[in-house]
Amino acid sequence: MGERAMPAYDISFAGRRGRRLEVVAAEAGIWEFRFRCGHRAVAPGGGLKLYCEVPRIWLALGLQQDDPHGMSYVAVSGDVACVLEPLPRDWKELAWATIRLPQGLQPGQEIRVRYGTEAHPCYALARTYSRAPISWRVDHDATGEYYRYWPPLVISVVCDAAAQLNAVLPTVLRPGETLRCRCRVEDRNCNIGAAYDEPVQADLIDAAGQRVPGSTRCFRFPSCGTYEFTDLQPPDSGIYRLRLRAPGLREGLSNACRVNAEAPRVAWGDGHCHTMWADGSGSVEENFRFARDYSFLDVFSVSEHLNNNEAFDTFPQYKQGTDYSLLGQEIAETTARYHEPDRFVTILAAEYSPSFATSEPKGDFCIFSRSDDFTDMPMARECPDMLALAKREGCVCIPHVGGHILPWEHFPLDTEVVPLLEIAAMHGRFECFAQEALQSGYKLGFVGMSDGHFGRPGYDNWSQHGRTPAVRHRNYSAIGGLTGFLVDTVSRDAVFEAMRARRTIATSGARIAVALDADGHAMGSEYTTAAAPRMTIAVNGTGPLDQVEIIRGDRRALRHTCDGACDVELDWTDPAPLRGETWYYVRVTQRDNGIAWTSPVWVTCTAPAAIDPAANDLPAWDAPPHWPPTDPQSVDPAHTSRLADIFAKRGLSERFRQIEARGLFDEQRGRYACFRARDAERGDKVVRIHLYVDFPDDRLYIVDGESEYGQYYKWE
């Protein structure tokens, strides 16, 4: 069969055309996909599908075919009559368009599918993505069976220009040890690997911001966009950060490194990540490589969606038709290959994702196994059966807010197998989920994980999983979370020990170090005292701190304002402890909206001066004052007008009402104007809206509640 007999198909975007296109992250343009029929005609009533081979790409978000003047408009045209069938509403659908051909299609005739208009172009992903295959599938005989043509079209999203610097240090270092300094250059979308060939200066600075003599290093980034050096030895005590400077780039400042002979080490990890096996992005290998080489994690797991059907055949959720028989083997082999004690600890994991056929009670769990064999991974259709298998196999299971949410009041959990819960992820910050668990009597520690679906474990900044119900154009999510495991050594055994002992710090993505000592007991502990409980707290932020709070039970016992200091130490004795057992934990909020939580300690107080729990009249754990503070004058009127225009384009002007500007703030992703509003479709529920003002595309983050930690979490 000659080349001319085969169908011809290509892509055009922003004036470029071909079978393979590179586009810059967040670039705007009109997408057009063209198919010209080859020697084999399409019968009357047959059709075409434009099919993306992997989920989580941009075009399946908010498509519409009714309003040519609106956003994400899709139009089909051709040399013959063609009918565009209803577009997918579920953003996990992989078929971007299905075109029915009442008269068929003859050789040489062409069909074109266009996404976006001049007034409302489509934007490429904000995230880089390598080799997204897009295929044309043809129902030649009008039977409903589609033939996939090969090779596919391929779209790659590449970094924008270099814009900012970033660095990561170990959180705790022993005196005399050398620093492992890991640096990266990013574009304005936080994509790592932007091209930059100018010299970069790195300086180690102390807690007062003064450069440590002899610490200056100069280097150039290689093409991968990351650089590591290990020839710095800081003084034998103190708090240090690495400052990066380079011409034309935003200055970078690392997390804090505390040189201390006795403090436990902190291993930072993300154990909740999905790949293209199910409804995520990137291969298993690519996710492991990103976690190790780009986000600089110490601990990592791929936890792919799994479930059992009635025949107890394990399969990945959301990706039927996949040859999933090799899934477990690939994950297990990659986990073993990347495992490197003391540097990069990998753990075999999976996510139990119950189906709608699963009986109540049920909830989503991440399962972490000590085994190297994926056939040992516990999995069952019913949640209690899965947990029983997990206990038998010595696994740790961690529930989270996802598609199915654990009903605490109806679920008898064994905290030997479920010692922790996920309090922060890209879905949001769910301290209310944690509070419900604690108030239900469960003694659980906290972790933060990304629940990433975009191939960015440990550094998931621009996920599009916004949880606001019935918003067709899904908004951006929160930044993915991180966990700090308090360990003596960076090893699998030590990480499992930290999980079971609840020695974990959960953060909203930043490496905020929080040390909590309660009368000599570490976070996660249970103890009895005949005196008023005394807490010693040390916080080392990744930027200026706003407040440090101590939560006692369901109340706020202390709110300490930090006046912008990056490092804070507190020594606090409960002035009116409760009689009997209660829990305490620390919550830290930075001025960039980064949040950290320690796992609780459970204290049984028998002091004579202890008060009855009924007298616990402190403010609620989520009571005002809320972060962010109110500074409406800092919001440019142009930002308010822009938000109104966005809502008008999306048909949301009547839904979000009583909009009030709260202030202009800066976080890891960039500057945002914060607004408070009422959601008329949900009983005037309070929502916060973040409009990221320095990007040409309309980037919104909409979240329930007055404060990030007070977000309500249940689906409606």
Side-chain angles (χ1 to χ4, degrees):
M1 186 184 298
E3 184 177 343
R4 293 182 180 179
M6 297 297 291
Y9 46 92
D10 60 20
I11 324 165
S12 65
F13 176 74
R16 304 187 297 278
R17 188 166 194 156
R19 295 182 72 121
R20 290 175 173 266
L21 285 187
E22 273 194 358
V23 299
V24 175
E27 183 180 3
I30 298 172
W31 294 93
E32 186 174 83
F33 294 82
R34 182 181 66 95
F35 180 89
R36 178 173 293 172
C37 189
H39 81 290
R40 186 178 178 187
V42 179
L48 306 172
K49 279 185 188 289
L50 188 60
Y51 195 91
C52 180
E53 303 289 343
V54 294
R56 304 296 182 235
I57 309 301
W58 52 100
L59 291 182
L61 305 176
L63 303 177
Q64 60 90 15
Q65 63 199 93
D66 302 318
D67 181 8
H69 303 292
M71 295 175 62
S72 303
Y73 179 65
V74 183
V76 60
S77 61
D79 298 334
V80 296
C82 46
V83 178
L84 180 62
E85 293 192 350
L87 294 162
R89 297 193 66 86
D90 185 341
W91 72 314
K92 294 181 180 179
E93 289 287 337
L94 301 182
W96 288 349
T98 301
I99 302 116
R100 187 59 52 201
L101 302 168
Q103 301 169 8
L105 195 67
Q106 296 301 312
Q109 292 180 326
E110 186 174 284
I111 297 295
R112 295 170 295 278
V113 185
R114 174 179 270 213
Y115 296 83
T117 63
E118 295 291 344
H120 298 299
C122 288
Y123 285 85
L125 283 173
R127 304 165 304 281
T128 54
Y129 193 96
S130 177
R131 304 178 310 280
I134 317 295
S135 66
W136 277 106
R137 302 188 175 196
V138 185
D139 176 11
H140 284 283
D141 302 320
T143 61
E145 296 185 3
Y146 286 84
Y147 176 87
R148 181 178 67 173
Y149 277 98
W150 191 264
L153 304 168
V154 176
I155 300 171
S156 295
V157 185
V158 299
C159 276
D160 202 346
Q164 57 198 32
L165 296 165
N166 208 322
V168 169
L169 298 182
T171 297
V172 173
L173 198 69
R174 301 288 181 242
E177 291 182 338
T178 57
L179 268 176
R180 187 183 184 194
C181 304
R182 291 174 286 181
C183 311
R184 56 197 182 210
V185 61
E186 305 172 358
D187 68 10
R188 60 180 175 173
N189 302 292
C190 303
N191 292 311
I192 303 166
Y196 189 77
D197 59 5
E198 295 293 322
V200 178
Q201 179 175 314
D203 294 296
L204 195 66
I205 59 174
D206 61 22
Q210 300 300 308
R211 185 178 66 85
V212 175
S215 69
T216 299
R217 299 291 185 272
C218 291
F219 62 89
R220 293 177 187 267
F221 280 105
S223 59
C224 65
T226 66
Y227 184 83
E228 177 178 328
F229 58 94
T230 57
D231 62 343
L232 273 181
Q233 183 174 323
D236 286 345
S237 63
I239 300 165
Y240 304 95
R241 294 174 174 85
L242 194 70
R243 181 177 61 204
L244 301 181
R245 290 173 170 171
L249 301 186
R250 183 178 179 181
E251 181 179 296
L253 189 67
S254 76
N255 61 300
C257 175
R258 180 184 289 269
V259 181
N260 189 293
E262 299 178 354
R265 298 185 189 273
V266 182
W268 292 99
D270 181 2
H272 190 177
C273 173
H274 302 287
T275 74
M276 60 193 297
W277 270 107
D279 62 343
S281 296
S283 67
V284 174
E285 178 93 20
E286 287 169 329
N287 277 271
F288 272 88
R289 190 164 58 247
F290 188 92
R292 183 189 66 184
D293 298 340
Y294 291 92
S295 56
F296 305 141
L297 293 181
D298 305 306
V299 182
F300 179 62
S301 297
V302 160
S303 50
E304 198 55 278
H305 291 286
L306 293 179
N307 201 345
N308 281 157
N309 59 18
E310 292 180 353
F312 288 89
D313 295 325
T314 300
F315 60 89
Q317 293 287 92
Y318 314 117
K319 199 74 176 289
Q320 300 307 302
T322 300
D323 183 10
Y324 51 81
S325 61
L326 298 178
L327 179 150
Q329 179 181 340
E330 179 180 346
I331 292 177
E333 289 178 351
T334 310
T335 300
R337 188 168 68 255
Y338 274 80
H339 181 61
E340 187 180 358
D342 295 325
R343 292 180 74 86
F344 188 60
V345 169
T346 61
I347 297 173
L348 196 60
E351 179 179 338
Y352 169 78
S353 297
S355 70
F356 289 102
T358 306
S359 303
E360 296 290 352
K362 60 185 176 184
D364 292 353
F365 285 85
C366 286
I367 310 166
F368 299 90
S369 173
R370 289 181 178 271
S371 175
D372 292 321
D373 186 344
F374 205 79
T375 60
D376 293 335
M377 184 65 65
M379 195 56 59
R381 174 174 173 172
E382 300 300 332
C383 195
D385 296 337
M386 182 278 294
L387 291 172
L389 289 171
K391 183 173 182 179
R392 188 187 72 184
E393 297 296 330
C395 297
V396 167
C397 297
I398 302 177
H400 63 272
V401 174
H404 299 273
I405 303 168
L406 197 68
W408 297 112
E409 65 275 18
H410 302 302
F411 212 114
L413 284 180
D414 184 341
T415 53
E416 180 183 341
V417 69
V418 185
L420 303 163
L421 62 83
E422 186 182 275
I423 197 173
M426 59 85 191
H427 284 300
R429 320 301 181 208
F430 302 112
E431 193 171 342
C432 43
F433 183 61
Q435 275 287 335
E436 285 192 8
L438 296 171
Q439 292 174 38
S440 297
Y442 299 109
K443 293 181 178 178
L444 303 179
F446 305 153
V447 298
M449 299 191 284
S450 69
D451 197 355
H453 292 69
F454 291 93
R456 297 291 182 272
Y459 203 57
D460 201 1
N461 291 311
W462 291 111
S463 291
Q464 288 171 287
H465 275 76
R467 291 179 72 88
T468 311
V471 173
R472 182 157 172 73
H473 290 271
R474 292 185 74 101
N475 305 303
Y476 284 100
S477 311
I479 297 171
L482 281 180
T483 300
F485 299 96
L486 276 59
V487 295
D488 293 326
T489 61
V490 182
S491 66
R492 283 182 182 168
D493 286 344
V495 171
F496 268 93
E497 182 182 346
M499 287 196 286
R500 293 197 184 281
R502 302 171 296 218
R503 293 196 301 270
T504 53
I505 306 162
T507 85
S508 59
R511 301 188 187 209
I512 305 168
V514 191
L516 169 63
D517 179 283
D519 293 316
H521 298 272
M523 63 184 75
S525 300
E526 304 172 51
Y527 72 97
T528 299
T529 177
R534 179 182 177 184
M535 312 279 167
T536 303
I537 300 159
V539 181
N540 305 117
T542 58
L545 300 169
D546 187 79
Q547 59 187 23
V548 176
E549 299 165 286
I550 296 178
I551 308 301
R552 184 184 74 185
D554 63 350
R555 306 300 176 95
R556 186 178 65 221
L558 175 71
R559 177 176 179 265
H560 173 80
T561 56
C562 301
D563 298 323
C566 292
D567 304 291
V568 169
E569 294 187 0
L570 298 175
D571 192 333
W572 177 80
T573 299
D574 193 339
L578 300 181
R579 186 177 298 110
E581 187 179 63
T582 191
W583 64 86
Y584 295 78
Y585 62 87
V586 177
R587 179 175 67 210
V588 177
T589 306
Q590 297 192 150
R591 286 187 172 176
D592 64 1
N593 202 22
I595 307 175
W597 300 263
T598 67
S599 287
V601 291
W602 285 264
V603 183
T604 299
C605 183
T606 61
I611 64 174
D612 189 274
N616 190 9
D617 59 353
L618 296 168
W621 65 272
D622 58 349
H626 297 297
W627 202 98
T630 303
D631 183 18
Q633 300 303 316
S634 63
V635 178
D636 191 311
H639 301 328
T640 304
S641 297
R642 183 179 178 187
L643 181 65
D645 290 342
I646 295 170
F647 281 165
K649 285 190 297 184
R650 298 189 180 186
L652 299 172
S653 299
E654 297 300 318
R655 175 170 179 175
F656 294 110
R657 305 182 302 188
Q658 302 178 36
I659 298 175
E660 306 169 5
R662 308 292 279 182
L664 185 67
F665 304 98
D666 200 353
E667 68 169 25
Q668 179 177 313
R669 295 190 284 199
R671 295 190 309 155
Y672 65 91
C674 182
F675 300 87
R676 182 183 186 273
R678 296 278 181 176
D679 187 345
E681 290 191 10
R682 296 189 294 153
D684 281 339
K685 177 175 285 189
V686 172
V687 297
R688 290 188 335 282
I689 303 162
H690 295 186
L691 169 62
Y692 291 85
V693 300
D694 295 323
F695 298 96
D697 50 327
D698 301 331
R699 301 195 192 188
L700 295 182
Y701 169 51
I702 303 177
V703 63
D704 290 348
E706 295 277 9
S707 60
E708 192 82 353
Y709 49 79
Q711 178 180 347
Y712 192 65
Y713 64 91
K714 293 184 178 178
W715 291 110
E716 299 172 8

